[in-house]
Amino acid sequence: MILFVSALVGFGAVFVLFLLTRSAVQVQQAVPKEDRAYLDPLPKGLRLLWPLVNVVDHWVGDRFSAGYIEKVDLQLRLTHLIFLMSARQFVALSIVSAVVATSLALFAMVALGLFSILTPPFVALLGYYYPRIWMRDVRRARIGAIQKQLPVYLDFLTLAVEAGLNINGAIQKAVEKGPDGPLRREFEHVLRDLKSGLNRADALRRFDERQGIKEVTNFVGAVIQAERMGAGLASTLRFQSEQRRAERFQRAEKQAMEAPVKLVFPLMVFIFPVTFVVLGFPIAMKFMQGGFL
């Protein structure tokens, strides 16, 4: 009798799993196939979750707030992730991340025999905001790379303008000779805007709006002001190059001065306790062998 009941329960579980799998396949087949021909390739970690992201985007994306989607779209443009996913897909990714994190937490609690009411909501909240943390890290890395490369490109622009080229030709030469990175791709975008018929000031303003970085804003404003007032563009670019290089040196000095403060926590938590254990263990063993303990 017990074997019959066990077999019946097992058959029922397999049948329910089959129905759920079939329903999931039908739901996924209803989602239109995404065309990523003109988008950046997905990272390896996102490729596993991307079918679920498209499912959530297709079935729930219309219910997202328009204002919230607009804010997310602006953040994606500033991080240059707009060429990887849309704003709706990013919100769908946050939802999928929350569900996956909660499922893993519940599985771990069941496997360990532990349960806490506060753990699933906390893990779900952490999973929902993890894509935002990732986007913030991408934004910081992009800003750092642009700030590091900007003086180099300003030097190329200065040399090209002093050699007799206009700003369009100088940007073209800087793109050809400059190091690869996000700033090079942004200057290529400026050249495409100029070739499409956009005037120089508007192309540079769009370049500034895509970055939202103070150093780029100063550079664009100085170039537009120099052309409008008829000032020497070469001297303006050279001043901008020297100023950006001085700012880069100041940032390096600031990071060097912050290093000792950031080392205090790992020293107190990891290094000092181990040092005390290494020094105190022989002393404790001597006391124990001598009968003092």
Short mmCIF file of all heavy atoms in Angstrom, two decimals, residues 152-206:
data_model
loop_
_atom_site.label_atom_id
_atom_site.label_comp_id
_atom_site.label_asym_id
_atom_site.label_seq_id
_atom_site.Cartn_x
_atom_site.Cartn_y
_atom_site.Cartn_z
N VAL A 152 44.52 62.95 -23.67
CA VAL A 152 45.23 62.42 -24.84
C VAL A 152 44.55 62.87 -26.12
O VAL A 152 45.19 63.33 -27.07
CB VAL A 152 45.29 60.88 -24.76
CG1 VAL A 152 45.99 60.32 -26.00
CG2 VAL A 152 46.00 60.43 -23.50
N TYR A 153 43.23 62.78 -26.16
CA TYR A 153 42.50 63.19 -27.36
C TYR A 153 42.56 64.70 -27.55
O TYR A 153 42.57 65.19 -28.69
CB TYR A 153 41.06 62.71 -27.28
CG TYR A 153 40.89 61.30 -27.78
CD1 TYR A 153 41.00 60.22 -26.91
CD2 TYR A 153 40.64 61.03 -29.12
CE1 TYR A 153 40.86 58.92 -27.37
CE2 TYR A 153 40.49 59.74 -29.58
CZ TYR A 153 40.61 58.68 -28.69
OH TYR A 153 40.47 57.40 -29.15
N LEU A 154 42.59 65.43 -26.46
CA LEU A 154 42.73 66.89 -26.58
C LEU A 154 44.10 67.25 -27.16
O LEU A 154 44.21 68.23 -27.93
CB LEU A 154 42.53 67.55 -25.22
CG LEU A 154 41.09 67.58 -24.71
CD1 LEU A 154 41.04 68.16 -23.30
CD2 LEU A 154 40.21 68.40 -25.63
N ASP A 155 45.14 66.49 -26.82
CA ASP A 155 46.45 66.73 -27.42
C ASP A 155 46.42 66.47 -28.93
O ASP A 155 46.99 67.25 -29.72
CB ASP A 155 47.49 65.82 -26.77
CG ASP A 155 47.84 66.26 -25.35
OD1 ASP A 155 47.60 67.44 -25.03
OD2 ASP A 155 48.31 65.41 -24.57
N PHE A 156 45.76 65.39 -29.34
CA PHE A 156 45.63 65.10 -30.78
C PHE A 156 44.86 66.22 -31.48
O PHE A 156 45.23 66.65 -32.59
CB PHE A 156 44.93 63.76 -30.99
CG PHE A 156 45.82 62.57 -30.79
CD1 PHE A 156 45.58 61.66 -29.77
CD2 PHE A 156 46.91 62.34 -31.62
CE1 PHE A 156 46.39 60.57 -29.58
CE2 PHE A 156 47.73 61.25 -31.45
CZ PHE A 156 47.48 60.36 -30.42
N LEU A 157 43.78 66.68 -30.86
CA LEU A 157 43.00 67.76 -31.46
C LEU A 157 43.82 69.03 -31.57
O LEU A 157 43.76 69.75 -32.59
CB LEU A 157 41.74 68.01 -30.63
CG LEU A 157 40.68 66.90 -30.61
CD1 LEU A 157 39.56 67.28 -29.66
CD2 LEU A 157 40.12 66.67 -32.01
N THR A 158 44.61 69.33 -30.54
CA THR A 158 45.43 70.55 -30.55
C THR A 158 46.47 70.49 -31.66
O THR A 158 46.66 71.46 -32.42
CB THR A 158 46.11 70.72 -29.19
OG1 THR A 158 45.13 70.76 -28.16
CG2 THR A 158 46.92 72.01 -29.16
N LEU A 159 47.16 69.35 -31.78
CA LEU A 159 48.17 69.22 -32.82
C LEU A 159 47.56 69.32 -34.21
O LEU A 159 48.14 69.94 -35.11
CB LEU A 159 48.90 67.88 -32.66
CG LEU A 159 49.79 67.72 -31.42
CD1 LEU A 159 50.33 66.30 -31.32
CD2 LEU A 159 50.93 68.72 -31.45
N ALA A 160 46.39 68.71 -34.40
CA ALA A 160 45.76 68.75 -35.71
C ALA A 160 45.30 70.15 -36.07
O ALA A 160 45.45 70.60 -37.21
CB ALA A 160 44.57 67.78 -35.75
N VAL A 161 44.74 70.90 -35.10
CA VAL A 161 44.29 72.26 -35.37
C VAL A 161 45.48 73.17 -35.62
O VAL A 161 45.45 74.04 -36.52
CB VAL A 161 43.43 72.77 -34.18
CG1 VAL A 161 43.15 74.27 -34.34
CG2 VAL A 161 42.12 72.00 -34.11
N GLU A 162 46.55 73.00 -34.86
CA GLU A 162 47.76 73.81 -35.08
C GLU A 162 48.40 73.50 -36.44
O GLU A 162 49.09 74.34 -37.01
CB GLU A 162 48.76 73.56 -33.96
CG GLU A 162 48.34 74.17 -32.62
CD GLU A 162 49.35 73.88 -31.53
OE1 GLU A 162 50.21 73.01 -31.74
OE2 GLU A 162 49.27 74.53 -30.46
N ALA A 163 48.16 72.29 -36.96
CA ALA A 163 48.69 71.93 -38.28
C ALA A 163 47.85 72.48 -39.41
O ALA A 163 48.24 72.36 -40.58
CB ALA A 163 48.79 70.40 -38.41
N GLY A 164 46.71 73.09 -39.11
CA GLY A 164 45.91 73.75 -40.13
C GLY A 164 44.56 73.11 -40.40
O GLY A 164 43.82 73.60 -41.26
N LEU A 165 44.20 72.05 -39.70
CA LEU A 165 42.91 71.41 -39.91
C LEU A 165 41.82 72.12 -39.12
O LEU A 165 42.09 72.76 -38.10
CB LEU A 165 42.97 69.93 -39.49
CG LEU A 165 43.90 69.02 -40.29
CD1 LEU A 165 43.89 67.61 -39.70
CD2 LEU A 165 43.50 68.97 -41.76
N ASN A 166 40.58 71.99 -39.59
CA ASN A 166 39.47 72.49 -38.80
C ASN A 166 39.10 71.44 -37.75
O ASN A 166 39.70 70.37 -37.67
CB ASN A 166 38.27 72.83 -39.69
CG ASN A 166 37.80 71.64 -40.50
OD1 ASN A 166 38.26 70.51 -40.31
ND2 ASN A 166 36.89 71.89 -41.43
N ILE A 167 38.08 71.75 -36.95
CA ILE A 167 37.75 70.86 -35.85
C ILE A 167 37.22 69.51 -36.36
O ILE A 167 37.47 68.46 -35.74
CB ILE A 167 36.71 71.54 -34.91
CG1 ILE A 167 36.50 70.70 -33.65
CG2 ILE A 167 35.41 71.79 -35.64
CD1 ILE A 167 37.70 70.56 -32.77
N ASN A 168 36.54 69.51 -37.51
CA ASN A 168 36.06 68.25 -38.07
C ASN A 168 37.22 67.34 -38.47
O ASN A 168 37.24 66.15 -38.15
CB ASN A 168 35.17 68.51 -39.28
CG ASN A 168 33.90 69.25 -38.92
OD1 ASN A 168 33.74 69.72 -37.80
ND2 ASN A 168 32.98 69.35 -39.87
N GLY A 169 38.18 67.89 -39.19
CA GLY A 169 39.35 67.11 -39.57
C GLY A 169 40.18 66.71 -38.37
O GLY A 169 40.77 65.62 -38.34
N ALA A 170 40.23 67.58 -37.34
CA ALA A 170 40.99 67.25 -36.13
C ALA A 170 40.36 66.07 -35.41
O ALA A 170 41.06 65.17 -34.92
CB ALA A 170 41.05 68.47 -35.21
N ILE A 171 39.04 66.04 -35.33
CA ILE A 171 38.36 64.91 -34.69
C ILE A 171 38.60 63.63 -35.48
O ILE A 171 38.82 62.56 -34.91
CB ILE A 171 36.85 65.20 -34.55
CG1 ILE A 171 36.63 66.37 -33.58
CG2 ILE A 171 36.11 63.97 -34.07
CD1 ILE A 171 35.18 66.78 -33.46
N GLN A 172 38.60 63.74 -36.82
CA GLN A 172 38.86 62.58 -37.66
C GLN A 172 40.26 62.02 -37.41
O GLN A 172 40.45 60.81 -37.26
CB GLN A 172 38.70 62.96 -39.13
CG GLN A 172 38.96 61.83 -40.11
CD GLN A 172 37.90 60.74 -40.01
OE1 GLN A 172 36.72 61.04 -39.87
NE2 GLN A 172 38.34 59.48 -40.07
N LYS A 173 41.25 62.90 -37.32
CA LYS A 173 42.63 62.46 -37.05
C LYS A 173 42.76 61.88 -35.65
O LYS A 173 43.49 60.90 -35.43
CB LYS A 173 43.60 63.62 -37.24
CG LYS A 173 43.80 64.04 -38.69
CD LYS A 173 44.43 62.91 -39.48
CE LYS A 173 44.66 63.32 -40.93
NZ LYS A 173 45.22 62.20 -41.73
N ALA A 174 42.06 62.49 -34.68
CA ALA A 174 42.12 61.97 -33.31
C ALA A 174 41.52 60.57 -33.23
O ALA A 174 42.03 59.70 -32.51
CB ALA A 174 41.38 62.93 -32.37
N VAL A 175 40.46 60.34 -33.99
CA VAL A 175 39.84 59.01 -34.00
C VAL A 175 40.78 58.00 -34.64
O VAL A 175 40.89 56.84 -34.20
CB VAL A 175 38.49 59.06 -34.73
CG1 VAL A 175 37.96 57.66 -35.00
CG2 VAL A 175 37.47 59.84 -33.90
N GLU A 176 41.49 58.41 -35.68
CA GLU A 176 42.40 57.49 -36.37
C GLU A 176 43.62 57.16 -35.53
O GLU A 176 44.09 56.01 -35.54
CB GLU A 176 42.85 58.10 -37.70
CG GLU A 176 41.73 58.25 -38.73
CD GLU A 176 42.20 58.96 -39.98
OE1 GLU A 176 43.40 59.34 -40.03
OE2 GLU A 176 41.39 59.14 -40.91
N LYS A 177 44.14 58.12 -34.79
CA LYS A 177 45.40 57.94 -34.06
C LYS A 177 45.21 57.67 -32.58
O LYS A 177 46.13 57.19 -31.92
CB LYS A 177 46.28 59.18 -34.22
CG LYS A 177 46.57 59.57 -35.67
CD LYS A 177 47.35 58.50 -36.40
CE LYS A 177 47.68 58.93 -37.83
NZ LYS A 177 48.43 57.88 -38.57
N GLY A 178 44.04 57.98 -32.03
CA GLY A 178 43.84 57.88 -30.60
C GLY A 178 43.66 56.45 -30.12
O GLY A 178 43.39 55.53 -30.90
N PRO A 179 43.81 56.25 -28.81
CA PRO A 179 43.65 54.90 -28.25
C PRO A 179 42.19 54.46 -28.28
O PRO A 179 41.26 55.27 -28.27
CB PRO A 179 44.14 55.06 -26.79
CG PRO A 179 43.93 56.51 -26.50
CD PRO A 179 44.17 57.24 -27.78
N ASP A 180 42.00 53.15 -28.31
CA ASP A 180 40.64 52.60 -28.34
C ASP A 180 40.00 52.76 -26.96
O ASP A 180 40.66 52.70 -25.93
CB ASP A 180 40.69 51.13 -28.74
CG ASP A 180 39.29 50.58 -29.00
OD1 ASP A 180 38.38 51.38 -29.23
OD2 ASP A 180 39.13 49.34 -28.98
N GLY A 181 38.69 52.95 -26.96
CA GLY A 181 37.97 53.12 -25.71
C GLY A 181 36.64 53.81 -25.93
O GLY A 181 36.25 54.10 -27.07
N PRO A 182 35.93 54.10 -24.86
CA PRO A 182 34.61 54.73 -25.01
C PRO A 182 34.67 56.12 -25.62
O PRO A 182 33.77 56.51 -26.37
CB PRO A 182 34.07 54.77 -23.57
CG PRO A 182 35.28 54.65 -22.70
CD PRO A 182 36.24 53.81 -23.45
N LEU A 183 35.74 56.90 -25.33
CA LEU A 183 35.82 58.24 -25.89
C LEU A 183 36.03 58.20 -27.40
O LEU A 183 35.49 59.05 -28.13
CB LEU A 183 36.96 59.01 -25.21
CG LEU A 183 37.02 60.51 -25.50
CD1 LEU A 183 35.72 61.19 -25.13
CD2 LEU A 183 38.19 61.15 -24.77
N ARG A 184 36.79 57.24 -27.88
CA ARG A 184 36.97 57.10 -29.33
C ARG A 184 35.65 56.80 -30.01
O ARG A 184 35.34 57.37 -31.08
CB ARG A 184 37.99 56.00 -29.61
CG ARG A 184 38.25 55.77 -31.09
CD ARG A 184 39.30 54.70 -31.28
NE ARG A 184 39.58 54.47 -32.68
CZ ARG A 184 40.51 53.64 -33.12
NH1 ARG A 184 41.25 52.95 -32.26
NH2 ARG A 184 40.72 53.48 -34.41
N ARG A 185 34.86 55.92 -29.43
CA ARG A 185 33.55 55.59 -30.03
C ARG A 185 32.61 56.78 -29.99
O ARG A 185 31.79 56.96 -30.90
CB ARG A 185 32.96 54.39 -29.30
CG ARG A 185 33.70 53.09 -29.57
CD ARG A 185 32.99 51.91 -29.00
NE ARG A 185 33.08 51.85 -27.54
CZ ARG A 185 34.07 51.27 -26.89
NH1 ARG A 185 35.05 50.66 -27.55
NH2 ARG A 185 34.09 51.25 -25.58
N GLU A 186 32.71 57.61 -28.96
CA GLU A 186 31.86 58.79 -28.89
C GLU A 186 32.27 59.82 -29.94
O GLU A 186 31.41 60.47 -30.55
CB GLU A 186 31.92 59.41 -27.49
CG GLU A 186 31.22 58.61 -26.43
CD GLU A 186 29.73 58.47 -26.72
OE1 GLU A 186 29.14 59.40 -27.32
OE2 GLU A 186 29.16 57.42 -26.37
N PHE A 187 33.55 59.99 -30.18
CA PHE A 187 34.00 60.89 -31.24
C PHE A 187 33.59 60.36 -32.61
O PHE A 187 33.30 61.14 -33.52
CB PHE A 187 35.51 61.11 -31.17
CG PHE A 187 35.92 62.18 -30.20
CD1 PHE A 187 36.85 61.93 -29.20
CD2 PHE A 187 35.38 63.45 -30.28
CE1 PHE A 187 37.23 62.92 -28.31
CE2 PHE A 187 35.75 64.45 -29.39
CZ PHE A 187 36.68 64.18 -28.39
N GLU A 188 33.60 59.04 -32.78
CA GLU A 188 33.09 58.47 -34.03
C GLU A 188 31.60 58.78 -34.20
O GLU A 188 31.14 59.04 -35.32
CB GLU A 188 33.31 56.95 -34.03
CG GLU A 188 34.77 56.55 -34.14
CD GLU A 188 34.96 55.04 -34.03
OE1 GLU A 188 33.97 54.36 -33.65
OE2 GLU A 188 36.06 54.56 -34.29
N HIS A 189 30.88 58.78 -33.09
CA HIS A 189 29.46 59.15 -33.13
C HIS A 189 29.31 60.61 -33.54
O HIS A 189 28.40 60.97 -34.31
CB HIS A 189 28.82 58.91 -31.76
CG HIS A 189 27.34 58.84 -31.81
ND1 HIS A 189 26.58 58.29 -30.79
CD2 HIS A 189 26.43 59.25 -32.73
CE1 HIS A 189 25.31 58.36 -31.09
NE2 HIS A 189 25.19 58.96 -32.26
N VAL A 190 30.19 61.48 -33.04
CA VAL A 190 30.16 62.90 -33.43
C VAL A 190 30.40 63.04 -34.93
O VAL A 190 29.73 63.82 -35.62
CB VAL A 190 31.20 63.70 -32.62
CG1 VAL A 190 31.31 65.13 -33.14
CG2 VAL A 190 30.83 63.72 -31.15
N LEU A 191 31.36 62.29 -35.46
CA LEU A 191 31.64 62.35 -36.90
C LEU A 191 30.44 61.88 -37.72
O LEU A 191 30.14 62.46 -38.77
CB LEU A 191 32.86 61.50 -37.22
CG LEU A 191 34.21 62.03 -36.72
CD1 LEU A 191 35.32 61.03 -37.01
CD2 LEU A 191 34.52 63.38 -37.35
N ARG A 192 29.75 60.85 -37.25
CA ARG A 192 28.55 60.38 -37.97
C ARG A 192 27.46 61.45 -37.95
O ARG A 192 26.75 61.65 -38.96
CB ARG A 192 28.04 59.09 -37.34
CG ARG A 192 28.92 57.88 -37.62
CD ARG A 192 28.17 56.59 -37.37
NE ARG A 192 27.75 56.48 -35.98
CZ ARG A 192 28.46 55.88 -35.04
NH1 ARG A 192 29.65 55.35 -35.34
NH2 ARG A 192 28.02 55.80 -33.80
N ASP A 193 27.32 62.16 -36.82
CA ASP A 193 26.34 63.25 -36.76
C ASP A 193 26.69 64.36 -37.73
O ASP A 193 25.81 64.93 -38.39
CB ASP A 193 26.25 63.79 -35.33
CG ASP A 193 25.58 62.81 -34.38
OD1 ASP A 193 24.88 61.91 -34.86
OD2 ASP A 193 25.78 62.95 -33.16
N LEU A 194 27.99 64.68 -37.84
CA LEU A 194 28.41 65.74 -38.75
C LEU A 194 28.19 65.33 -40.21
O LEU A 194 27.76 66.14 -41.03
CB LEU A 194 29.89 66.07 -38.51
CG LEU A 194 30.23 66.73 -37.16
CD1 LEU A 194 31.73 66.84 -36.98
CD2 LEU A 194 29.59 68.11 -37.07
N LYS A 195 28.47 64.06 -40.53
CA LYS A 195 28.28 63.59 -41.90
C LYS A 195 26.80 63.51 -42.27
O LYS A 195 26.46 63.57 -43.45
CB LYS A 195 28.94 62.23 -42.07
CG LYS A 195 30.47 62.28 -42.00
CD LYS A 195 31.07 60.89 -42.13
CE LYS A 195 32.59 60.96 -42.03
NZ LYS A 195 33.22 59.59 -42.11
N SER A 196 25.95 63.35 -41.27
CA SER A 196 24.51 63.28 -41.55
C SER A 196 23.89 64.65 -41.76
O SER A 196 22.69 64.73 -42.05
CB SER A 196 23.79 62.57 -40.40
OG SER A 196 23.89 63.32 -39.19
N GLY A 197 24.67 65.72 -41.61
CA GLY A 197 24.17 67.06 -41.88
C GLY A 197 23.96 67.91 -40.65
O GLY A 197 23.56 69.07 -40.77
N LEU A 198 24.22 67.38 -39.45
CA LEU A 198 24.05 68.16 -38.23
C LEU A 198 25.18 69.16 -38.11
O LEU A 198 26.34 68.85 -38.43
CB LEU A 198 24.04 67.22 -37.03
CG LEU A 198 23.43 67.75 -35.72
CD1 LEU A 198 21.94 67.98 -35.89
CD2 LEU A 198 23.68 66.75 -34.59
N ASN A 199 24.86 70.39 -37.68
CA ASN A 199 25.92 71.38 -37.56
C ASN A 199 26.83 71.03 -36.38
O ASN A 199 26.48 70.25 -35.49
CB ASN A 199 25.35 72.79 -37.42
CG ASN A 199 24.53 72.97 -36.16
OD1 ASN A 199 25.04 72.97 -35.06
ND2 ASN A 199 23.21 73.11 -36.32
N ARG A 200 27.99 71.67 -36.37
CA ARG A 200 29.04 71.30 -35.42
C ARG A 200 28.62 71.54 -33.97
O ARG A 200 28.85 70.70 -33.09
CB ARG A 200 30.30 72.08 -35.74
CG ARG A 200 31.54 71.65 -34.96
CD ARG A 200 32.72 72.49 -35.37
NE ARG A 200 32.94 72.39 -36.80
CZ ARG A 200 33.37 73.38 -37.59
NH1 ARG A 200 33.57 74.58 -37.08
NH2 ARG A 200 33.56 73.18 -38.88
N ALA A 201 27.99 72.65 -33.69
CA ALA A 201 27.60 72.96 -32.32
C ALA A 201 26.58 71.95 -31.79
O ALA A 201 26.69 71.47 -30.66
CB ALA A 201 27.04 74.38 -32.24
N ASP A 202 25.60 71.61 -32.62
CA ASP A 202 24.58 70.65 -32.18
C ASP A 202 25.18 69.26 -31.99
O ASP A 202 24.79 68.53 -31.07
CB ASP A 202 23.43 70.60 -33.19
CG ASP A 202 22.61 71.88 -33.19
OD1 ASP A 202 22.67 72.62 -32.18
OD2 ASP A 202 21.92 72.15 -34.20
N ALA A 203 26.11 68.88 -32.86
CA ALA A 203 26.75 67.57 -32.72
C ALA A 203 27.55 67.49 -31.42
O ALA A 203 27.51 66.46 -30.72
CB ALA A 203 27.65 67.30 -33.92
N LEU A 204 28.25 68.59 -31.09
CA LEU A 204 29.00 68.60 -29.84
C LEU A 204 28.08 68.63 -28.63
O LEU A 204 28.37 68.02 -27.60
CB LEU A 204 29.95 69.80 -29.82
CG LEU A 204 31.12 69.74 -30.81
CD1 LEU A 204 31.90 71.04 -30.80
CD2 LEU A 204 32.04 68.56 -30.48
N ARG A 205 26.96 69.34 -28.73
CA ARG A 205 26.00 69.36 -27.62
C ARG A 205 25.39 67.98 -27.39
O ARG A 205 25.20 67.57 -26.25
CB ARG A 205 24.91 70.40 -27.88
CG ARG A 205 25.38 71.85 -27.78
CD ARG A 205 24.20 72.80 -27.75
NE ARG A 205 24.63 74.19 -27.78
CZ ARG A 205 24.68 74.94 -28.87
NH1 ARG A 205 24.29 74.42 -30.05
NH2 ARG A 205 25.09 76.19 -28.81
N ARG A 206 25.10 67.27 -28.47
CA ARG A 206 24.58 65.91 -28.32
C ARG A 206 25.64 65.00 -27.70
O ARG A 206 25.32 64.11 -26.89
CB ARG A 206 24.15 65.37 -29.68
CG ARG A 206 22.91 66.04 -30.25
CD ARG A 206 22.50 65.44 -31.57
NE ARG A 206 22.19 64.02 -31.46
CZ ARG A 206 21.77 63.27 -32.47
NH1 ARG A 206 21.61 63.80 -33.68
NH2 ARG A 206 21.53 61.99 -32.29
#
